[in-house]
Amino acid sequence: MDKVDLLVVGSGIVGLAMAWTGARRGLKVAVVERDHRCVGASIRNFGFITVTGQREGHTWRRAMRSRDLWNEVAPQVGIDVLHRGLWVLARRPLAADVLQAFSQTDMGRDCRFMQADDAAIEAPELRTEGATAALYSPHELRVESRTAIPLLAHWLSCRHGVQFHWGHTVLGIEEGRVHTGAGEFTADRVALCPGTELTGPALPWLADLNLSLTRLQMMRIRPEAGFRLSAAVMADLSLVRYAGYAALPQAAPLLNQLQQEVPASLEAGIHLIAVQSADGSIVVGDSHHDDRTPEPFAQEAVDRLILGHLQEAVRLKSCEVVERWTGVYPTGHSEDAVIRAPSPDLRAVVVTSGTGASTAFGLAEDVFMDW
Ligand SMILES: Cc1cc2nc3c(=O)[nH]c(=O)nc-3n(C[C@H](O)[C@H](O)[C@H](O)COP(=O)(O)OP(=O)(O)OC[C@H]3O[C@@H](n4cnc5c(N)ncnc54)[C@H](O)[C@@H]3O)c2cc1C
């Protein structure tokens, strides 16, 4: 293969964001991916491009920028935005306190805090009986990741001339030479975006961080015909998990209450996200179990807890599970993402939280800022 300006290892959203950002800067770009198509976290997620609730600072800023870039790129690529916005429904008065406090922060500026009865008028699908309040955020987008990611790769290839080399595992990288089982690629610069592959070629530049992995359980359910979510839905448990809310002083008493009332859900790292697909099905999750090598076994009891939280938040008559899967992402770094620059021609870029779909485009721009 001819030498390229930028060689990206990994075809997940972080690798594709690096490839797009490099191509927009006029670079000749190639992507090397060990699988024959992307099957990692980037196609297993909710496709939920979230701004509200992200950690204040880099993560929130990158999410805002990425949201704008998703809006720009989606119509060009042919990716449908399936719904926009987010409802966070507070059942407990202490959860309402968190939402109200959040709405008064800079990050909450464009969000609307309201009583549950008012939310019921705007979003009749929410189960507002017994709820106290809700927050509506206008920022969010929802795409179907399992089709959006291949579409994005195809568009990068056709529109920007990015070369894709599928089915090549990168074994090592040294001074612009990238070794695979099938031969060598050469590049002026290499961006290593390995996702969960922390013990592969990225190990020398990540080992000191002691990153771990988080495994999530996910489901797709089929609701009754005609059921519509007007926006993504989250609920009380999200307010002690998502850093943008959890860092508020009001989140501590809520956490205490949740520890008393729903210890099994907290133990399984459960919080609710529900988003809808074009065929009406709903993707719902998730749980969080951390381990350096995650268990491959999904637990039915955890799925049942997730479904219970879904039915508590949303007025569903039918909730047939039609698909289950697990996904994994790296974890264990306080900044949600790591950019390592071991040499002038090499960058290792890893999202260390469940935020890559929401932040990758902004993150890639940050990588190129001083590269
Ligand atoms: C279940 C689940 C739900 C999530 N929900 C959301 C959400 O709704 N919103 C959100 O913002 N984020 C979400 N996330 C997080 C988000 O999906 C990840 O942060 C993001 O996908 C990470 O992208 P990535 O490109 O780093 O990793 P990946 O998608 O895992 O891609 C890495 C790629 O690198 C390749 N690779 C690794 N090593 C090599 C090698 N040596 N040679 C060649 N190729 C290699 C892998 O094969 C893989 O294709 C979720 C994650 C999970 C698991």
Side-chain angles (χ1 to χ4, degrees), residues 215-234:
R215 180 181 61 93
L216 295 79
Q217 289 184 206
M218 303 278 288
M219 285 169 280
R220 182 180 293 275
I221 65 123
R222 186 160 306 287
E224 62 274 17
F227 178 88
R228 281 283 164 268
L229 282 183
S230 56
V233 177
M234 295 169 108

Side-chain angles (χ1 to χ4, degrees), residues 12-263:
I13 189 61
V14 175
L16 297 184
M18 287 297 295
W20 184 35
T21 311
R24 275 189 298 156
R25 282 162 169 68
L27 302 181
K28 185 177 174 189
V29 181
V31 175
V32 182
E33 165 60 52
R34 70 178 170 194
D35 289 317
H36 292 280
R37 61 198 167 95
C38 176
V39 292
S42 299
I43 65 132
R44 298 178 192 213
N45 59 32
F46 293 92
F48 182 36
I49 320 301
T50 333
V51 174
T52 292
Q54 300 289 9
R55 189 187 307 279
E56 192 172 12
H58 289 316
T59 308
W60 190 84
R61 176 181 57 76
R62 286 170 182 156
M64 274 300 241
R65 177 67 183 144
S66 298
R67 189 277 315 259
D68 291 344
L69 289 168
W70 272 106
N71 270 327
E72 179 187 323
V73 80
Q76 296 179 51
V77 176
I79 295 172
D80 292 330
V81 174
L82 296 165
H83 52 70
R84 293 174 187 270
L86 161 68
W87 285 105
V88 188
L89 183 65
R91 195 145 295 281
R92 295 164 181 81
L94 289 175
D97 292 348
V98 177
L99 289 181
Q100 186 163 28
F102 178 82
S103 70
Q104 289 160 1
T105 65
D106 273 356
M107 293 188 293
R109 206 175 32 231
D110 300 321
C111 299
R112 287 186 291 124
F113 174 78
M114 64 191 85
Q115 297 309 307
D117 289 349
D118 295 326
I121 297 165
E122 291 189 42
E125 74 274 20
L126 297 178
R127 198 180 287 283
T128 43
E129 315 85 80
T132 50
L135 183 89
Y136 179 76
S137 163
H139 300 304
E140 284 63 29
L141 309 179
R142 202 264 152 167
V143 300
E144 193 72 62
S145 292
R146 63 179 71 176
T147 50
I149 293 295
L151 281 171
L152 188 55
H154 182 69
W155 177 79
L156 285 170
S157 162
C158 298
R159 171 74 180 77
H160 287 286
V162 174
Q163 304 161 27
F164 281 84
H165 301 279
W166 303 100
H168 292 273
T169 298
V170 169
L171 304 172
I173 300 167
E174 46 179 341
E175 291 171 4
R177 295 206 315 279
V178 173
H179 306 287
T180 75
E184 194 175 272
F185 295 93
T186 50
D188 287 336
R189 295 190 247 179
V190 177
L192 182 52
C193 312
T196 54
E197 193 57 46
L198 305 175
T199 55
L203 180 64
W205 309 301
L206 300 177
D208 62 306
L209 296 173
N210 266 322
L211 296 177
S212 186
L213 296 173
T214 295
R215 180 181 61 93
L216 295 79
Q217 289 184 206
M218 303 278 288
M219 285 169 280
R220 182 180 293 275
I221 65 123
R222 186 160 306 287
E224 62 274 17
F227 178 88
R228 281 283 164 268
L229 282 183
S230 56
V233 177
M234 295 169 108
D236 291 11
L237 283 160
S238 308
L239 304 178
V240 295
R241 174 156 281 277
Y242 265 55
Y245 313 112
L248 293 167
Q250 289 79 0
L254 174 63
L255 178 59
N256 277 336
Q257 185 177 5
L258 292 168
Q259 278 163 343
Q260 303 301 315
E261 294 178 3
V262 286

Side-chain angles (χ1 to χ4, degrees), residues 322-354:
V322 293
E323 206 171 33
R324 298 172 200 261
W325 66 99
T326 60
V328 178
Y329 60 69
T331 192
H333 188 261
S334 57
E335 284 293 315
D336 292 329
V338 175
I339 303 170
R340 284 270 153 119
S343 64
D345 59 353
L346 180 61
R347 295 291 181 272
V349 189
V350 180
V351 174
T352 52
S353 60

